[in-house]
Amino acid sequence: MSSLLSSPARILPTLQTKSFQPYFSSLPISKNFISLLGTSSSMPKPAAGNRLFSIMSSAEPPNGLQGSRVKGAESFLRNVLASMEAVYLSRNPTAKSILELVRSAHDDTICYDHIAFRTFGMDGHGIDSLASFFLDFGYTQKEELSFPAKKLKAFWFSPPSISNAAYDGDGVNGPLPRVFISQLLVDQMSKQTQDIIRKYTKCSCNGKKHAALAGALGSLTWEKPSHSEFEQLTRESEYAAWTLVNGYALNHVTISTHRLKSHLKDIKSLNLFIEENGYKLNSEGSVLKVSPDGLLLQSSTLADSISFEFSDGITASVPCSYIEFAERLVLPQYKHLPETEVKEYHRRDGFEVGNADKIFESTSKQQQMANA
């Protein structure tokens, strides 16, 4: 199924949110990650620091137009996120089941702490290819995280605060999530692996300019690889192999546990609840990953697998995505606040390299075998 026309279409499932219907929900997506080759003309790329979308300007247009612009742009952003989420839920039954389980256990509302993507740091297909979309809609680039052993780097992006005060809904209809985007440092890989990655990023043409669209459609921007190429990447970097067959699809979404209303707001209680219901958690390091300051607690399931038909006719199981859980504790300077007065900005922000390094292992064969 190397083209949209030759692929059997199916309809994206209805989202699990209570009142949000994505614009793209009627678009077809491919079971095997349809390849779409971009053909748009080249456009100059503004510096990262200057990519804030015009709606975030402090200059108020006449006749109260600023509010409508913000509302319209945010509606579009949430439609894109909703379509990304729909693709994610259609391919990852564990994530879908856990979200439903947590919602139904106490009629709870789920907020996403962050969503995450993986990319190739080559030919413009790295972090910038996705970051440009989020920066255009008011996100702010934050700290860089480095993972030398895995030959990765990442940036995280904070959501625009202008919107979240008005949204207390569920999932993508709730507070906008942080965004975590990582990339493989391809120039540090072997020549054979570099050649394979370069082959597919080059055949993507201008697909890198439409990374967010590819994620929303569940489509690769390059042709399907051969099974032998996938295996070569797996031997050197499971991250590289994952990205080759999943492209810009969501790598994971993360439940913000402290925003839950029941006893499951304590991540240890949630972990136990998940395991008691028969789901395996990533045990790399330990099930519960704790930052050195003790204020960021994280855990995750193991990735689901999906059947993938490679270009040489071989069909094999490949790792897909997983779901994460994060509890952010109150910063020491705000410990005196009553719990009812604690807001998200009173809690530990950002990410932790040690935690994230172990969370990456949720898609590894070693974790799959250890938890079999």
Side-chain angles (χ1 to χ4, degrees):
M1 289 174 287
S2 60
S3 71
L4 188 61
L5 292 177
S6 61
S7 303
R10 59 188 174 90
I11 303 301
L12 287 173
T14 301
L15 290 181
Q16 301 302 310
T17 52
K18 296 178 180 177
S19 60
F20 196 88
Q21 293 296 327
Y23 172 77
F24 292 130
S25 63
S26 61
L27 291 180
I29 60 172
S30 168
K31 179 178 179 182
N32 289 326
F33 312 94
I34 307 165
S35 296
L36 297 179
L37 299 181
T39 56
S40 62
S41 59
S42 176
M43 295 183 68
K45 179 180 179 182
N50 296 326
R51 294 191 61 89
L52 289 180
F53 192 50
S54 61
I55 64 165
M56 308 309 293
S57 169
S58 60
E60 179 74 21
N63 302 322
L65 292 178
Q66 179 74 1
S68 62
R69 288 183 183 179
V70 171
K71 183 177 180 180
E74 183 170 341
S75 177
F76 174 75
L77 170 62
R78 288 180 184 276
N79 279 336
V80 173
L81 293 177
S83 291
M84 290 177 173
E85 181 193 50
V87 171
Y88 167 81
L89 294 176
S90 72
R91 293 175 176 170
N92 299 282
T94 294
K96 184 181 181 204
S97 295
I98 287 177
L99 285 168
E100 291 173 349
L101 186 65
V102 174
R103 285 189 179 105
S104 63
H106 298 279
D107 193 25
D108 218 332
T109 297
I110 288 176
C111 296
Y112 289 149
D113 178 89
H114 66 274
I115 60 176
F117 302 88
R118 295 181 177 185
T119 68
F120 287 133
M122 173 177 275
D123 298 333
H125 286 80
I127 292 169
D128 287 350
S129 62
L130 272 166
S132 59
F133 173 78
F134 292 100
L135 291 169
D136 278 350
F137 284 87
Y139 274 74
T140 302
Q141 180 174 301
K142 308 298 281 189
E143 295 83 16
E144 178 179 351
L145 294 87
S146 179
F147 306 87
K150 287 184 169 62
K151 300 178 181 176
L152 307 173
K153 77 171 185 178
F155 280 97
W156 73 276
F157 301 80
S158 62
S161 59
I162 189 170
S163 62
N164 282 347
Y167 283 82
D168 58 358
D170 187 82
V172 294
N173 202 36
L176 288 171
R178 298 168 183 83
V179 173
F180 184 95
I181 310 174
S182 58
Q183 72 175 33
L184 181 71
L185 302 176
V186 180
D187 59 355
Q188 296 182 19
M189 309 304 290
S190 69
K191 183 180 184 303
Q192 186 176 5
T193 291
Q194 287 188 47
D195 288 345
I196 292 171
I197 295 172
R198 183 176 290 108
K199 170 184 174 182
Y200 289 98
T201 54
K202 286 203 170 185
C203 82
S204 171
C205 299
N206 288 320
K208 61 192 175 186
K209 297 179 181 179
H210 310 290
L213 176 60
L217 292 175
S219 307
L220 291 176
T221 63
W222 48 75
E223 295 294 335
K224 293 187 297 183
S226 69
H227 185 255
S228 61
E229 291 169 322
F230 173 77
E231 287 295 304
Q232 163 59 30
L233 264 58
T234 300
R235 287 190 289 270
E236 187 170 352
S237 167
E238 289 184 308
Y239 179 106
W242 189 97
T243 308
L244 187 66
V245 295
N246 287 281
Y248 293 112
L250 276 173
N251 177 253
H252 65 271
V253 304
T254 302
I255 294 176
S256 179
T257 66
H258 58 268
R259 285 172 162 171
L260 295 172
K261 298 179 178 66
S262 71
H263 73 285
L264 297 181
K265 68 192 305 178
D266 176 271
I267 194 170
K268 293 178 183 178
S269 296
L270 180 60
N271 287 343
L272 181 61
F273 177 72
I274 296 300
E275 291 179 317
E276 286 177 343
N277 279 276
Y279 298 98
K280 303 288 187 180
L281 295 177
N282 171 0
S283 60
E284 179 69 18
S286 66
V287 167
L288 186 64
K289 286 74 165 142
V290 183
S291 62
D293 61 12
L295 299 176
L296 177 60
L297 314 177
Q298 294 169 271
S299 59
S300 61
T301 66
L302 301 179
D304 281 325
S305 297
I306 194 169
S307 180
F308 187 92
E309 182 182 350
F310 291 91
S311 62
D312 51 9
I314 296 175
T315 298
S317 179
V318 301
C320 210
S321 304
Y322 55 95
I323 188 165
E324 183 186 327
F325 319 102
E327 181 178 0
R328 297 179 182 274
L329 301 185
V330 178
L331 295 167
Q333 61 267 38
Y334 300 118
K335 284 287 188 180
H336 65 282
L337 291 175
E339 185 177 353
T340 55
E341 295 181 14
V342 173
K343 307 297 183 185
E344 191 69 7
Y345 59 82
H346 294 133
R347 298 179 181 274
R348 209 276 201 182
D349 202 3
F351 292 82
E352 186 64 42
V353 167
N355 287 17
D357 184 73
K358 296 176 177 64
I359 294 290
F360 276 125
E361 296 300 313
S362 295
T363 58
S364 73
K365 282 186 177 179
Q366 183 177 353
Q367 274 295 303
Q368 296 283 353
M369 294 173 61
N371 286 273

